[in-house]
Amino acid sequence: MNENEYIDYYCEHLLVFVHIDEKTGFYDNNIKTENYEHALHNAKLCGINKEAFVNSLKRRVNNSKRPINIDALWKFSITIWMWKLFSRIVMPEMGAVDQYFKLINRLNEGLDVKEIVFTGREPQKTKDINITLNEDILIGEFLKFLYSEELIKNVLTEENLKSYPKTHCYLAIDLLPKRTLAFQIARELTHLFEDMFQTESLDESLKDIIMATLSNLNLAAKAANNTDYNKLFSDAKNKRLPICDNYYQASFLQDVGVLPFSVIKNPESIKERKTFFKSAEE
């Protein structure tokens, strides 16, 4: 047994291949491509260190009925942490051209507009007011204007088209809620333990180890317990917690090789990744 044991097992048994099209795809969780030294550097900046991790996990590992390699768990956890929190996420910004095309495309697809609401504020007033148009004749005239040469000329200017589409790049740690990141890491640890120990439901000691791991990664309270684990998975399953699986850390693209950046798909076109909730108790 060595400190790479869990990473090796995870990459051998739990890789997820994401198809972009018939010829192209990538493994979004090939964590062997993560730089461990870089992960340690970022962990130090965030106040995370192996000594505190090991000391807080010793009792829990000793109480577990399962053989846990604490050194391997540390390296696996900090690598997963690096993958999830420091992925680069490209977010599209809806500019004038984007908004126009989105509305026109919806109308061409048969969108039935039942009302148009204007929100504004009168001069010297602090309260917004809404004006709703729901008469067919008024709605019809406004929809005709959307296809008019005058509007198209004003929207599709050379300056607007230069910035189409607009995107901004963020780190996941700066963009996603802490509980979302906690769930993403807890889910990967759960997959690992379920597959490694051939169980469909984690026992209480393994849940305790996962929550202690999240605590040491500053993603859960120090007193987090099994109840918090169950609540985390329950909230994700019942959509009370955004899972945010609409970005992928690309480690390999077919016929291209290893890439040092993330491949981002349009959030509107992404299909929700299948996740396992076998171990989550309601």
Side-chain angles (χ1 to χ4, degrees):
M1 300 295 182
N2 58 63
E3 64 176 8
N4 292 316
E5 174 193 359
Y6 293 170
I7 292 176
D8 291 341
Y9 186 94
Y10 180 83
C11 291
E12 181 178 351
H13 296 272
L14 296 168
L15 286 186
V16 175
F17 190 77
V18 177
H19 291 275
I20 297 177
D21 54 43
E22 291 183 358
K23 296 182 179 180
T24 310
F26 60 91
Y27 291 108
D28 83 305
N29 60 337
N30 184 4
I31 58 175
K32 282 188 176 180
T33 63
E34 292 293 340
N35 186 308
Y36 178 57
E37 295 303 320
H38 191 194
L40 290 178
H41 173 75
N42 285 338
K44 183 178 180 180
L45 294 177
C46 295
I48 300 169
N49 66 81
K50 182 177 180 179
E51 183 179 1
F53 180 93
V54 171
N55 289 337
S56 68
L57 267 291
K58 277 182 180 178
R59 177 182 58 80
R60 294 175 173 88
V61 167
N62 291 336
N63 290 339
S64 175
K65 299 176 183 178
R66 308 285 186 175
I68 299 291
N69 180 341
I70 199 165
D71 290 318
L73 180 60
W74 158 258
K75 189 166 185 178
F76 176 80
S77 300
I78 207 66
T79 304
I80 289 286
W81 174 85
M82 179 70 184
W83 167 45
K84 286 299 184 183
L85 272 70
F86 291 89
S87 289
R88 288 167 292 279
I89 303 177
V90 176
M91 294 289 290
E93 177 185 313
M94 290 290 286
V97 176
D98 306 86
Q99 294 171 358
Y100 177 76
F101 282 153
K102 183 175 182 179
L103 180 54
I104 290 298
N105 287 337
R106 293 293 186 272
L107 292 172
N108 289 336
E109 291 168 1
L111 177 68
D112 182 14
V113 180
K114 298 185 181 301
E115 62 181 30
I116 299 174
V117 179
F118 293 89
T119 300
R121 184 175 298 175
E122 296 176 349
Q124 311 303 320
K125 300 289 182 67
T126 59
K127 186 177 180 181
D128 288 340
I129 61 170
N130 293 329
I131 299 175
T132 302
L133 304 182
N134 50 27
E135 294 290 338
D136 288 344
I137 186 171
L138 292 175
I139 292 176
E141 290 302 315
F142 270 93
L143 296 185
K144 285 181 185 178
F145 179 63
L146 293 176
Y147 291 93
S148 69
E149 291 185 10
E150 180 184 353
L151 180 62
I152 294 174
K153 181 180 178 181
N154 290 331
V155 173
L156 303 184
T157 63
E158 183 178 349
E159 189 63 30
N160 281 342
L161 289 173
K162 281 181 182 177
S163 60
Y164 170 74
K166 291 182 179 179
T167 58
H168 295 282
C169 189
Y170 303 90
L171 291 178
I173 189 175
D174 296 324
L175 188 66
L176 302 183
K178 180 183 285 190
R179 288 195 80 231
T180 290
L181 296 168
F183 169 75
Q184 290 179 345
I185 294 176
R187 179 180 55 187
E188 302 308 319
L189 285 165
T190 296
H191 291 339
L192 175 72
F193 289 153
E194 284 180 344
D195 198 86
M196 181 177 290
F197 299 129
Q198 293 297 293
T199 178
E200 292 187 357
S201 180
L202 300 191
D203 60 37
E204 297 304 299
S205 65
L206 289 176
K207 292 180 184 180
D208 194 34
I209 288 172
I210 290 176
M211 293 313 299
T213 297
L214 293 180
S215 295
N216 280 280
L217 298 177
N218 299 327
L219 293 173
K222 293 299 181 184
N225 54 32
N226 301 336
T227 300
D228 298 303
Y229 174 96
N230 295 335
K231 182 71 164 57
L232 188 64
F233 276 76
S234 176
D235 284 351
K237 181 179 180 180
N238 293 300
K239 302 186 185 303
R240 293 189 294 266
L241 173 70
I243 298 174
C244 297
D245 279 332
N246 59 347
Y247 69 98
Y248 298 102
Q249 179 72 24
S251 55
F252 179 84
L253 274 133
Q254 185 176 321
D255 301 326
V256 178
V258 175
L259 298 177
F261 53 83
S262 293
V263 172
I264 309 301
K265 299 180 73 175
N266 187 320
E268 290 189 358
S269 67
I270 206 78
K271 291 183 178 179
E272 185 174 347
R273 176 181 168 186
K274 293 182 180 179
T275 55
F276 293 58
F277 298 97
K278 294 179 292 187
S279 58
E281 299 174 6
E282 299 293 342

